[in-house]
Amino acid sequence: MDSPKRPARMISRTVIGRSFEGLARYLVEGHKGQEADKKAELLGSAGVRTDTVAHLVADFNLGRQLHPELGKAVWHTSLSFNPDDAAKLTGEKMRAIAEDYMEEMKLTGTQYAIIRHRDRPGHEHVHIIANRVADDGHTISDSNSFLRSKEALTKLIQRHELTPPQGLRVEKQHPEHLEGVDKAKQEVKDALHQALATASDRPALLAALRAEKISAQEFTNKAGVVTGISFEKDGHSFKGSAVARGYSLAGIEKQLAANQLTQQAEKARQEAAQEAAAQEQRQAAAQLAAQQQAAEQQAAQLHEAERWAAQVAKGPELPAIERKWQADYQQYAADLAQQNAPIQARNKVIDSYRTYLQKHPNEEGIAAVVQAMKGDPRTAALKAELDRQVAARATHAKQWADSYGQQAALEKQAKGGIFGKNAASREAEEKLKFLTEKDRPLPGLLVPALLAFARAAKAADRPAP
């Protein structure tokens, strides 16, 4: 993990791994027994608890469950500095450099911890441990990390006025400068990386490799079981594990199986989306049928009024005043029927919504009714009220989650972590005081985060809509 040599300039080393536990325990506990000023020091973190290593690892593993198929979810970078820069490398300065490095590498929107080590005099360095599964579930790319890291270090050296490098080995940074066996090995590695991004079985993988003029050979034991694999390119042969650690037979089969699960999950998602679309079409068809039925009833009422008027017209001759009265009444009845028809149709539609909500008295039921009312001006007022209720319930739920819903977590955070009390634990104590002291005034909470928490808690005290 830690470089055994003192750096002559600022350098970085990045390793993409599988286990948060082994790395976290090394970074935090690997220096136990040393003098106090040489132990690990937490400089910053996000999305993880730091009171114990077990909690730190558990939170990282919880985050990676958003993308369980990603095997190598652990991002570990160590940043080492020139001894001449030691005087300016305070904890705050090193944290700023580490966070700027993460920003340049697009290692953002995810869980991380920044840990400083002082295991030898003059060997100033920090470790960044981060989750490649971002908070929204997408995978943070590790492609071209060496070149991207070189560019990031160049920017950081200028931005933070650090000792610049004396030179870099270009042939180790640009694949186009590789020759012979090194070039063939890199091309095999790149082809495997690209093919294993989508292939879900061996035939598909081998076909993709053949397209890149790479042949593969499988090795079997006496029982006929495949136990290994090698690849050949331009006359150079490599065992899978020699190309890269993840390209052994076991690693390839694991990735193929993960790809197959991913494709099955995507297929299931598409089928669910198609079923949801079909359900929406069925609801639209039912609404259209109800509207057509209402129109047919209106036409029937008009026909009945016309038939009654025709029968009256065939009766005996009446005095002029009575004929005028009957004509006025017939016109009135026809106008009334015409006016009532759309009202009755609207009432039937609204009554169908009422019946549906009685059977589905939940958020899904309200959402289905709101969807069915889209584009119908007759139900605009009802739709607006339902929209208001849904928004009010959602707002109250968020306010509760942003305040009282965090109480258990705040109580744990207020105890401090393995590095003692910190800004996060003190902020947690302030928030807990507000939850327990109902009459605590807002002017004492002018810190933006605390003020937002206080307002959410006051709003959450109100009953839900």
Side-chain angles (χ1 to χ4, degrees), residues 130-142:
N131 199 336
R132 289 186 61 219
V133 180
D135 296 339
D136 60 2
H138 84 271
T139 300
I140 296 174
S141 174
D142 65 336

Side-chain angles (χ1 to χ4, degrees), residues 260-422:
Q260 190 174 37
L261 288 175
T262 299
Q263 292 174 7
Q264 291 173 352
E266 177 60 20
K267 182 180 179 182
R269 186 195 65 78
Q270 292 178 356
E271 291 176 349
Q274 291 173 355
E275 174 58 27
Q279 177 64 22
E280 185 174 349
Q281 290 178 351
R282 287 193 291 268
Q283 291 178 349
Q287 181 179 358
L288 179 60
Q291 293 173 349
Q292 291 175 342
Q293 183 180 7
E296 291 173 356
Q297 291 177 347
Q298 178 182 356
Q301 291 174 346
L302 290 174
H303 177 72
E304 178 64 21
E306 291 172 354
R307 186 187 65 79
W308 180 79
Q311 288 180 348
V312 170
K314 294 179 181 180
E317 188 69 16
L318 297 173
I321 185 64
E322 197 166 342
R323 288 199 307 273
K324 183 179 184 306
W325 176 87
Q326 287 197 0
D328 291 343
Y329 179 81
Q330 291 167 10
Q331 184 62 46
Y332 166 78
D335 291 343
L336 184 61
Q338 189 172 9
Q339 293 173 7
N340 287 340
I343 297 174
Q344 292 171 349
R346 172 182 176 277
N347 289 343
K348 285 184 176 295
V349 172
I350 293 178
D351 188 63
S352 69
Y353 295 154
R354 178 186 61 79
T355 303
Y356 185 87
L357 286 174
Q358 286 177 340
K359 294 180 179 179
H360 306 85
N362 49 39
E363 303 291 343
E364 290 78 13
I366 294 175
V369 170
V370 170
Q371 178 65 28
M373 289 190 294
K374 277 187 176 180
D376 188 350
R378 301 173 303 173
T379 57
L382 178 59
K383 180 177 180 298
E385 175 59 20
L386 289 176
D387 284 338
R388 186 198 65 76
Q389 291 189 26
V390 170
R393 291 167 67 90
T395 299
H396 185 270
K398 183 178 185 306
Q399 290 165 342
W400 180 269
D402 288 347
S403 55
Y404 292 92
Q406 301 179 19
Q407 188 164 355
L410 290 172
E411 290 172 352
K412 291 183 179 180
Q413 192 174 10
K415 296 178 181 179
I418 52 180
F419 303 99
K421 292 286 186 177
N422 51 36

Side-chain angles (χ1 to χ4, degrees), residues 19-26 53 57 61 74:
S19 172
F20 283 106
E21 182 171 6
L23 177 59
R25 291 198 178 280
Y26 167 79
V53 175
V57 173
N61 286 331
V74 183

Side-chain angles (χ1 to χ4, degrees), residues 403-461:
S403 55
Y404 292 92
Q406 301 179 19
Q407 188 164 355
L410 290 172
E411 290 172 352
K412 291 183 179 180
Q413 192 174 10
K415 296 178 181 179
I418 52 180
F419 303 99
K421 292 286 186 177
N422 51 36
S425 62
R426 288 188 288 273
E427 181 178 322
E429 290 175 346
E430 288 296 317
K431 290 181 178 180
L432 286 172
K433 287 179 181 179
F434 185 84
L435 293 180
T436 55
E437 300 174 11
K438 299 296 185 180
D439 298 328
R440 193 173 189 213
L442 290 179
L445 299 172
L446 294 181
V447 178
L450 295 178
L451 187 57
F453 180 88
R455 288 173 173 165
K458 280 188 174 294
D461 277 339

Side-chain angles (χ1 to χ4, degrees), residues 129-274:
I129 176 174
N131 199 336
R132 289 186 61 219
V133 180
D135 296 339
D136 60 2
H138 84 271
T139 300
I140 296 174
S141 174
D142 65 336
S143 64
N144 298 321
S145 59
F146 185 90
L147 294 179
R148 291 194 292 123
S149 182
K150 175 193 169 186
E151 295 173 356
L153 291 183
T154 300
K155 295 179 181 178
L156 296 181
I157 288 169
Q158 295 176 351
R159 186 180 306 162
H160 294 279
E161 300 179 349
L162 302 173
T163 302
Q166 299 300 315
L168 297 174
R169 298 174 62 189
V170 177
E171 71 276 13
K172 294 299 183 182
Q173 301 173 38
H174 298 282
E176 62 267 21
H177 293 173
L178 299 175
E179 297 179 352
V181 64
D182 292 332
K183 179 180 180 182
K185 183 176 180 180
Q186 185 62 41
E187 289 177 347
V188 171
K189 183 177 180 181
D190 292 342
L192 281 169
H193 179 77
Q194 184 172 359
L196 285 173
T198 56
S200 59
D201 54 35
R202 287 190 195 174
L205 173 64
L206 297 179
L209 293 177
R210 284 195 297 271
E212 300 296 328
K213 299 180 180 180
I214 299 172
S215 61
Q217 181 180 0
E218 297 178 341
F219 301 96
T220 59
N221 58 19
K222 293 181 179 180
V225 178
V226 179
T227 58
I229 191 169
S230 68
F231 305 95
E232 183 177 346
K233 170 72 173 175
D234 297 335
H236 302 288
S237 181
F238 314 94
K239 291 195 303 182
S241 57
V243 175
R245 186 175 180 180
Y247 296 149
S248 64
L249 179 65
I252 290 174
E253 289 181 338
K254 184 176 181 180
Q255 186 59 49
L256 291 175
N259 290 348
Q260 190 174 37
L261 288 175
T262 299
Q263 292 174 7
Q264 291 173 352
E266 177 60 20
K267 182 180 179 182
R269 186 195 65 78
Q270 292 178 356
E271 291 176 349
Q274 291 173 355

